[in-house]
Amino acid sequence: MEQLEELPAGIWDTIKSSFSMEIYDGKSIADLLTLETIVGLAGNIFAALVIITLGFIISGFIRRKIKRLAEKHSSLDDTLFDFLGNIVRYGILAFTCLFVLNTFGIQTTSIIAVIGAAGLAIGLALQGTLSNVAAGVMIIIFRPLKIGDFVAVNDVMGTVKEITLNFIEIADMSNVRVVVPNSEVWGNTIKNYSSYDTRRAEWTFGVGYGVNLAKAEEVIMETVMADPRSKDEPKPFLQVNNLGSSSVDFLMRVWCSSSDYFQYQADMKRKVKEALDAADINIPFPTRTVVVERPDAEDDAGATG
């Protein structure tokens, strides 16, 4: 204490004024250094630690419960419930932070107002991203497509590999990775070729005008229906559909499994062609007769005469 008294008067006055300055909740440093204040502050810190611990435990527990709902029921989407679980968890943690601030006597009303204004500004800045998230939630809820489906969306045709809240990943026909934003998926027409178990295949087979149409019809029907992938129900359809410039066209429609569609449709074109050839049924192709007129032909004939 004697050493402190030996300090210059100006420095000593500065130190005393610093200790008497109010720095927290109307209290000065001297007030905060009392035993009562230190014990109270330690109690607040302990209470804050307890609140934070409980917040993490409760939020994690509720998040796991929400995720297990989707695991127990196959009709519920895992991605959606994982998203909901995270939303609930972060909401609980946000309230936990507010409780901690209240423990230390900090008014949270103004903080909430600042967070709300910041959230509005961030929402306006990220409206494109938020629209993707909103569309992703709609896709997950209504499920117009799912992982493994073969779809055509936004001029992209392929198999769905991943569905997230921001985008959908599709492997196209060449196995190229295509990422489509959710807003463009939900805002466009979606063709899902995997939604139903069966599809209708369709072909047009042309034969010559001189062919016995009943025989040609019999060959086409027997060839197509002999394939095990062809279904008897719904009943297959075959009839003359068009009289072309060089052929009589048969329209054939048969139902098959969706998973067989593309290969089945390609195989039948070859099989019917081979069957018609074996039955000596002419398959015409367009021909054109070209007549060349020679203007000098009459002059040559007159000169000769």
Side-chain angles (χ1 to χ4, degrees):
M1 193 69 181
E2 294 178 356
Q3 294 177 349
L4 292 175
E5 292 176 352
E6 294 177 357
L7 292 174
I11 297 178
W12 177 243
D13 293 338
T14 302
I15 294 175
K16 288 193 296 182
S17 62
S18 299
F19 273 86
S20 61
M21 184 185 302
E22 294 183 358
I23 62 172
Y24 174 74
D25 198 20
K27 297 180 180 180
S28 64
I29 295 178
D31 296 331
L32 293 176
L33 290 179
T34 61
L35 180 61
E36 180 182 356
T37 304
I38 294 175
V39 171
L41 182 61
N44 290 340
I45 294 174
F46 177 77
L49 292 176
V50 172
I51 292 172
I52 292 173
T53 303
L54 290 176
F56 276 98
I57 293 174
I58 294 173
S59 63
F61 175 77
I62 295 178
R63 179 177 178 271
R64 288 191 296 271
K65 284 292 185 182
I66 294 175
K67 291 185 66 176
R68 285 173 185 170
L69 286 175
E71 295 173 357
K72 291 180 179 179
H73 304 280
S74 58
S75 60
L76 301 178
D77 193 278
D78 293 340
T79 306
L80 174 61
F81 278 78
D82 186 37
F83 171 70
L84 293 177
N86 286 329
I87 291 294
V88 172
R89 178 173 183 267
Y90 291 126
I92 293 174
L93 291 178
F95 279 106
T96 300
C97 292
L98 294 178
F99 287 141
V100 170
L101 293 176
N102 280 326
T103 301
F104 288 99
I106 300 175
Q107 296 297 322
T108 57
T109 305
S110 58
I111 295 177
I112 294 175
V114 171
I115 293 175
L120 178 61
I122 293 172
L124 293 174
L126 300 177
Q127 56 182 339
T129 301
L130 294 178
S131 67
N132 286 329
V133 173
V137 172
M138 299 298 289
I139 291 171
I140 292 171
I141 292 175
F142 292 101
R143 305 181 72 177
L145 46 79
K146 60 182 183 298
I147 295 175
D149 283 353
F150 187 82
V151 301
V153 56
N154 199 28
D155 297 327
V156 178
M157 178 179 287
T159 303
V160 178
K161 294 295 184 180
E162 184 179 4
I163 301 175
T164 70
L165 288 172
N166 290 308
F167 62 84
I168 289 178
E169 180 183 332
I170 298 176
D172 69 3
M173 301 291 286
S174 300
N175 200 34
V176 175
R177 182 174 182 257
V178 182
V179 176
V180 185
N182 284 336
S183 59
E184 296 185 15
V185 176
W186 186 251
N188 285 279
T189 300
I190 301 172
K191 288 186 177 181
N192 192 332
Y193 297 99
S194 302
S195 292
Y196 305 116
D197 295 332
T198 57
R199 287 187 63 183
R200 189 184 69 186
E202 181 177 304
W203 307 269
T204 298
F205 301 112
V207 299
Y209 272 93
V211 169
N212 185 326
L213 296 183
K215 182 180 179 182
E217 185 175 357
E218 180 182 355
V219 171
I220 294 173
M221 179 65 76
E222 289 181 353
T223 303
V224 174
M225 298 310 295
D227 192 287
R229 294 170 291 186
S230 302
K231 295 185 178 296
D232 296 325
E233 293 294 337
K235 188 177 180 180
F237 173 88
L238 176 62
Q239 70 175 24
V240 174
N241 184 56
N242 181 50
L243 299 177
S245 59
S246 59
S247 65
V248 179
D249 299 329
F250 283 94
L251 177 62
M252 181 77 188
R253 291 172 175 167
V254 183
W255 290 81
C256 67
S257 297
S258 297
S259 57
D260 296 330
Y261 176 79
F262 289 103
Q263 190 60 48
Y264 170 69
Q265 192 176 49
D267 291 344
M268 287 303 100
K269 294 176 182 178
R270 177 169 182 167
K271 287 185 177 182
V272 171
K273 167 65 169 62
E274 293 174 346
L276 292 174
D277 288 343
D280 290 329
I281 295 176
N282 179 40
I283 301 177
F285 53 87
T287 59
R288 180 175 298 175
T289 300
V290 180
V291 178
V292 180
E293 295 184 358
R294 296 179 57 190
D296 58 340
E298 295 181 0
D299 296 340
D300 293 342
T304 305

